[in-house]
């Protein structure tokens, strides 16, 4: 299926590795021109070179910390300077640290708010002037299945990602008349550094398990019986960015191998 993404311009944040990088790769593989941002310049440039080689499309790397307003303005400006406009925004960021209500203080709340919510607000504000004149746009937020079923020990993620869902749903109504769609994708458990270095795997390794054993344990309550591959999340991102997804907005869709038991 041709997703109609050839020469569309996509901006993907937190994309030097993991789910962001897989999303950038999926869009570039469909012929989109892609800008990727993350903090570590060397890792980002290596990712850009790799995606460009693999896809044959154009990839721009702009070192960006999503918590810094000036960096966000700079990556949007660099993208429009290089490619002329922006059709697709994929909001993504690092995950906030684990913690419970008793252990998390104001400083951590503020940091999670800035990384996982305010970054999305700011980026959407910055890209809209480049989407509006084209009469269409796609905004996709990578959140977490925690918005369907809160995850124990991940209070900051559970709370801040719900704010993104509220934002997206509201914007889907406000931006619908301008043909700009806004959707959320919810990863369950995917094999990235985030999960390898996460508190659950660390706890199991501290009990004497190998990393592979710890990951196998994590797959036990997933109906499909395995951890996801980043490209399986990226496939939904590319679809939501596509021409075929033109009538889908305001949705929050999980890609989780059946992990979430809730019906809605
Ligand atoms: P990952 O493999 O650790 O990759 C994180 C990416 O984010 C890297 O490119 C990192 O590069 C970048 N990043 C981190 N902090 C940043 C910042 N302040 N500004 C810009 N870029 C930043 O993580 P992942 O698994 O792909 O996770 C991506 C998002 O999905 C996270 O929010 C995570 O919580 C969420 N999620 C993941 C899973 C999962 O199973 N993997 C499940 C649910 C939700 P730099 O460090 O160089 O900046």
């Amino acid at each position: 299926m041709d997703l109609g993404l050839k020469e569309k311009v996509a901006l993907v944040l937190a994309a030097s590795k993991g789910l962001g990088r897989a999303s950038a790769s999926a869009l570039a593989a469909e012929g989109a021109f892609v800008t990727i941002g993350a903090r570590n310049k060397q890792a980002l440039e290596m990712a850009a070179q790799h995606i460009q080689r693999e896809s044959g499309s154009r990839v721009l790397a702009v070192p960006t910390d999503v918590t810094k307003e000036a960096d966000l303005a700079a990556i949007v400006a660099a993208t429009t300077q290089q490619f002329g406009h922006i059709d697709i925004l994929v909001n993504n960021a690092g995950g906030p640290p684990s913690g419970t209500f008793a252990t998390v203080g104001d400083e951590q709340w503020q940091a999670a708010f800035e990384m996982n919510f305010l970054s999305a607000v700011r980026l959407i504000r910055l890209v809209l002037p480049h989407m509006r004149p084209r009469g269409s746009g796609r905004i996709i937020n990578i959140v977490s299945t925690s918005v369907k079923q809160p995850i124990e020990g991940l209070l900051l993620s559970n709370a801040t990602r719900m704010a993104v869902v509220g934002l997206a749903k509201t914007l889907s109504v406000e931006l619908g008349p301008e043909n700009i769609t806004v959707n959320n994708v919810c990863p369950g458990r995917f094999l990235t550094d985030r999960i390898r270095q996460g508190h659950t795997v660390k706890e199991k390794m501290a009990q004497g398990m190998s990393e592979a054993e710890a990951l196998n344990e994590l797959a036990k309550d997933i109906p499909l019986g395995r951890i996801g591959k980043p490209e399986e999340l990226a496939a939904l991102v590319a679809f939501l960015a596509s021409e075929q997804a033109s009538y889908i907005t305001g949705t929050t869709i999980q890609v989780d191998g059946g992990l979430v038991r809730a019906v809605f």
Side-chain angles (χ1 to χ4, degrees):
M1 179 165 50
D2 177 2
L3 295 183
L5 289 171
K6 205 162 168 35
E7 298 188 6
K8 294 278 183 188
V9 179
L11 170 56
V12 187
L13 284 305
S16 62
K17 59 182 183 172
L19 303 176
R21 176 176 170 160
S23 300
S25 288
L27 292 165
E30 293 295 325
F33 299 152
V34 182
T35 300
I36 59 173
R39 292 166 305 176
N40 183 306
K41 187 170 187 270
Q42 201 185 357
L44 186 71
E45 282 173 356
M46 277 176 64
Q49 282 165 19
H50 187 260
I51 297 169
Q52 187 155 315
R53 232 185 358 257
E54 212 177 43
S55 65
S57 196
R58 294 168 65 192
V59 183
L60 176 68
V62 183
T64 305
D65 182 338
V66 296
T67 65
K68 296 192 174 144
E69 199 172 2
D71 283 12
L72 302 181
I75 194 171
V76 169
T79 303
T80 53
Q81 201 174 4
Q82 182 84 17
F83 300 128
H85 60 273
I86 297 175
D87 300 294
I88 300 153
L89 168 66
V90 181
N91 277 318
N92 184 39
S98 57
T100 61
F101 193 71
T103 62
V104 167
D106 277 5
E107 208 175 302
Q108 286 158 306
W109 275 111
Q110 189 67 36
F113 169 80
E114 285 180 17
M115 174 139 80
N116 295 105
F117 178 69
L118 194 56
S119 62
V121 172
R122 286 172 167 163
L123 279 156
I124 293 168
R125 192 190 288 134
L126 285 163
V127 301
L128 281 178
H130 304 287
M131 288 181 173
R132 285 190 156 124
R134 297 178 62 78
S136 70
R138 298 276 189 272
I139 297 169
I140 299 153
N141 305 309
I142 298 181
V143 286
S144 166
T145 49
S146 66
V147 302
K148 304 269 179 171
Q149 184 176 301
I151 300 168
E152 214 175 309
L154 284 183
L155 173 67
L156 292 170
S157 172
N158 296 341
T160 53
R161 295 183 197 284
M162 288 301 285
V164 176
V165 173
L167 170 74
K169 192 70 188 168
T170 309
L171 283 180
S172 70
V173 178
E174 288 188 15
L175 300 177
E178 294 182 86
N179 198 29
I180 295 170
T181 67
V182 191
N183 293 288
N184 305 303
V185 300
C186 311
R189 294 181 191 141
F190 281 84
L191 194 54
T192 67
D193 286 353
R194 163 89 175 155
I195 204 162
R196 282 194 195 95
Q197 291 154 13
H199 70 290
T200 317
V201 167
K202 273 191 188 153
E203 269 167 26
K204 291 187 191 302
M205 288 175 73
Q207 289 159 13
M209 284 188 196
S210 67
E211 187 187 86
E213 285 167 340
L215 288 168
N216 277 341
E217 282 290 306
L218 271 187
K220 280 191 172 157
D221 58 344
I222 300 175
L224 287 181
R226 62 180 175 82
I227 306 278
K229 295 178 268 186
E231 57 268 30
E232 292 176 307
L233 189 281
L236 176 62
V237 172
F239 177 73
L240 288 172
S242 73
E243 291 294 337
Q244 283 83 349
S246 50
Y247 201 55
I248 302 176
T249 193
T251 66
T252 300
I253 307 172
Q254 69 260 40
V255 182
D256 67 351
L259 176 66
V260 169
R261 302 302 199 259
V263 177
F264 299 110

